[in-house]
Amino acid sequence: MDASTESLARQWLQAARHMLILTGAGVSAESGVPTFRDALTGLWARFNPEDLATEAAYRDHPGLVWDWYEMRRDMVRAVAPNPAHLAIAQWAAARPDKVTLVTQNVDGLHQQAGSEHVIELHGNLFRNSWLHGCGRCEAHRSDVTHPPSCTACGALLRPAVVWFGEDLPRVALYRAQHAAETADVCLVVGTSGLVYPAAGLPGRAKAAGARVIVVNSQPSALDATADAVLQAPAGECLPRLLAL
Ligand code: BV8
């Protein structure tokens, strides 16, 4: 990645009236959290994550999918935000009301780094909900079963993440799309750009006149949309790009 592209991108960011920052699993990679497309290991090695993160997989293999999320929760609890998360949090704190942070990640590391008002398009690992519950499941929760279930209606407790084939949280998606349509700069960090509708946000920003900057350690599907591509690890690039 050449210094002049980074310098140009930094000028755009400094001049931005309002910016959208969209992050994916790559922003957490240097914290030690495997990206979504890193090969699964252990019990789950034989699965493709896109097949495991579905209601059908949960219904077919409730214990195996529940344990996949429990393993991921334990893994995230053991790591810390990295310089990329911290640079984003400090940049936004210095520019109140000028930055909208939207993440596809479910690890909560942006919040741990101090980011506020994080828009989580795909939910959060550390929250649970009920799979087609009766509305009184919490009061009838049994942790004797694996996964926990409702003794009144039999519903299973599930991680409050968005599975493939499920709609994204309506308000979160609306706010993210509005931010894309009103931003003059869109900074995209650590996403393959393969999962929709999140991956459509940079194109939406571009169509509304924003400049798009992509930070990724590898080429991504969003490079064609970008006005600047900074091919570098986020933990190295963002502290320079977003230096106060
Ligand atoms: C929906 C929670 C309506 C679960 C996740 C339009 C076109 C095509 C397909 C669709 C479409 N609309 C809908 C679809 C279907 C589907 C989809 O997009 N499929 C894809 C695979 C083609 N979308 C959906 O189902 C969405 N729902 O649209 O509802 C609907 C309803 C019914 C039928 C149709 C539509 C729901 C999608 C949400 C799925 N849930 N997560 C869980 O975590 O278990 S998505 C999951 O992927 C993670 O959240 C992850 O964040 C996300 C995106 O992946 P990335 O973040 O990009 O991670 P990835 O590993 O791919 O890439 C990491 C990147 O980081 C790489 O580029 C790498 O180079 C880079 N990197 C690595 N290290 C570093 C780095 N970069 C910088 N520094 C580093 N150090």
Side-chain angles (χ1 to χ4, degrees), residues 9 25 39 41 47 49 54 86 106-107 116 123 143 160 183 187 197 226 242:
T41 57
F47 292 99
T54 63
L86 296 168
V106 295
D107 58 30
E116 297 179 339
D143 286 335
L187 175 62
L242 301 179

Side-chain angles (χ1 to χ4, degrees), residues 32-213:
V33 181
T35 70
F36 198 71
R37 272 160 197 74
D38 280 341
L40 290 181
T41 57
L43 294 174
W44 307 279
R46 60 195 165 102
F47 292 99
N48 174 325
E50 280 145 20
D51 300 327
L52 217 48
T54 63
E55 179 177 337
Y58 195 48
R59 289 188 178 284
D60 293 346
H61 313 281
L64 181 117
V65 176
W66 177 260
D67 290 346
W68 181 46
Y69 284 95
E70 288 289 89
M71 179 275 287
R72 290 169 65 188
R73 287 169 174 144
D74 291 345
M75 180 170 52
V76 171
R77 285 190 191 101
V79 304
N82 69 64
H85 296 111
L86 296 168
I88 289 170
Q90 290 156 11
W91 177 269
R95 286 163 180 74
D97 305 328
K98 287 197 168 187
V99 180
T100 300
L101 174 57
V102 176
T103 190
Q104 300 170 85
N105 299 343
V106 295
D107 58 30
L109 288 176
H110 282 302
Q111 293 90 324
Q112 268 196 58
S115 287
E116 297 179 339
H117 317 301
V118 182
I119 297 175
E120 295 179 309
L121 289 180
H122 297 157
N124 186 292
L125 267 182
F126 297 99
R127 290 196 298 271
N128 287 316
S129 59
W130 290 95
L131 186 60
H132 306 306
C134 60
R136 297 171 299 128
C137 296
E138 205 49 48
H140 295 276
R141 171 174 170 163
S142 161
D143 286 335
V144 171
T145 58
H146 175 239
S149 61
C150 171
T151 56
C153 71
L156 297 179
L157 192 64
R158 57 160 291 174
V161 299
V162 180
W163 280 330
F164 288 93
E166 292 185 325
D167 286 324
L168 274 60
R170 205 185 313 277
V171 172
L173 182 58
Y174 170 79
R175 289 175 58 212
Q177 290 174 333
H178 178 70
E181 289 155 3
T182 54
D184 42 7
V185 178
C186 175
L187 175 62
V188 186
V189 185
T191 181
S192 58
L194 298 176
V195 175
Y196 283 81
L201 291 169
R204 189 180 279 256
K206 180 100 177 176
R211 283 204 170 106
V212 176
I213 302 163

Side-chain angles (χ1 to χ4, degrees), residues 7-24:
S7 160
L8 188 58
R10 182 163 163 75
Q11 287 169 35
W12 294 341
L13 289 161
Q14 285 176 316
R17 286 174 294 101
H18 192 279
M19 79 176 67
L20 164 63
I21 301 179
L22 172 68
T23 65

